[in-house]
Amino acid sequence: MLMATISIASAKGGCGKTTLAIVLGAVLAEQGYVTRLLDCDLNQHASAFGAKNSLERLDVRPSVDEHNVLAELRSAEKEAEITLIDLPGGSSTLALKALQRSNFVLVPCQASLPDVRDAMKTIAQVDDAQDLARSPIARSLIWSRVLPGFESRAAKHVRMSAEETGSPIFSSALMERAAFREMHITGTAPTSNSPISAAAHNARAIADELVLRLSQLAENVA
């Protein structure tokens, strides 16, 4: 049985953390995983999605902060197979607590040099949490809000710069799709209401890659 806690973190706001969190939460629940999403972001957009969503295996917990995050994590670790943590931007006690309890950290990053610099700050936070936890914490960048079609010269330069840092990068990217914006209105993911769409294919590819990486981590521990 696959059991894991995944933080979705970035020092920068507006990079797609919450979109990634609800996409993964919905797809993993549809795939049969008992999934809990802890909404730690001040805007509480994941909680608004959760209030509209009807998936039995997806439980979105609102208003998680530095005071109750450990209690919420203990509960999730007992009751869920996959726990996703939608963290607020920046560095905080909340983030440090969540990162230390994570098996994997996903860092969404747009294809701009300032975003890559902020992503590296987040990776440094993961390193700090790893040092405090005295246990390895796997992590990976994931390109977010990527426009479909031709990759610009600037975007290619940014991508190559990120690869040179040596940080792992997901093969799948979170594309810029209207269907992902509409999830906040409908409370459903494109994998439910439009299962053969490009957005649904994108969502499943990200979730499948995450499950693969988590399975590889579990095998290495075993």
Side-chain angles (χ1 to χ4, degrees):
M1 179 185 295
L2 182 63
M3 300 190 71
T5 298
I6 303 101
S7 281
I8 300 172
S10 173
K12 184 180 183 299
C15 61
K17 288 192 303 294
T18 298
T19 299
L20 180 60
I22 62 177
V23 163
L24 283 171
V27 175
L28 291 168
E30 289 167 358
Q31 291 179 345
Y33 294 100
V34 179
T35 306
R36 186 165 295 178
L37 171 52
L38 306 185
D39 189 353
C40 304
D41 194 272
L42 293 175
N43 294 315
Q44 294 288 288
H45 293 316
S47 297
F49 171 83
K52 298 175 183 178
N53 186 268
S54 58
L55 286 169
E56 284 186 14
R57 291 184 173 86
L58 177 60
D59 179 15
V60 183
R61 294 297 178 97
S63 304
V64 179
D65 57 27
E66 66 178 84
H67 303 294
N68 64 2
V69 64
L70 292 180
E72 287 285 355
L73 282 167
R74 284 192 292 270
S75 173
E77 288 161 3
K78 292 177 182 177
E79 300 169 6
E81 294 169 295
I82 302 289
T83 303
L84 300 166
I85 311 171
D86 181 15
L87 287 171
S91 178
S92 64
T93 301
L94 167 60
L96 197 57
K97 287 180 177 180
L99 293 173
Q100 286 185 68
R101 293 290 284 260
S102 298
N103 305 106
F104 199 94
V105 180
L106 266 175
V107 183
C109 179
Q110 296 181 83
S112 75
L113 284 178
D115 280 68
V116 172
R117 293 189 190 104
D118 285 331
M120 291 303 102
K121 292 178 183 177
T122 306
I123 294 297
Q125 291 177 32
V126 178
D127 287 336
D128 288 343
Q130 179 175 267
D131 194 22
L132 289 168
R134 298 184 180 182
S135 180
I137 302 173
R139 79 291 301 269
S140 178
L141 301 183
I142 178 170
W143 296 116
S144 63
R145 306 184 71 175
V146 175
L147 295 173
F150 180 75
E151 182 181 42
S152 70
R153 184 178 299 177
K156 183 176 181 180
H157 173 72
V158 170
R159 180 176 55 79
M160 293 176 67
S161 297
E163 290 171 353
E164 289 172 0
T165 68
S167 295
I169 303 175
F170 253 40
S171 300
S172 308
L174 182 69
M175 307 302 289
E176 181 66 30
R177 301 280 185 189
F180 293 148
R181 294 194 296 273
E182 290 167 1
M183 290 189 305
H184 298 280
I185 300 170
T186 63
T188 58
T191 43
S192 293
N193 55 29
S194 187
I196 62 172
S197 66
H201 176 76
N202 184 198
R204 282 191 291 267
I206 295 170
D208 289 346
E209 184 168 353
L210 177 62
V211 169
L212 176 62
R213 295 204 182 201
L214 293 174
S215 299
Q216 290 171 341
L217 282 175
E219 289 175 4
N220 291 338
V221 170

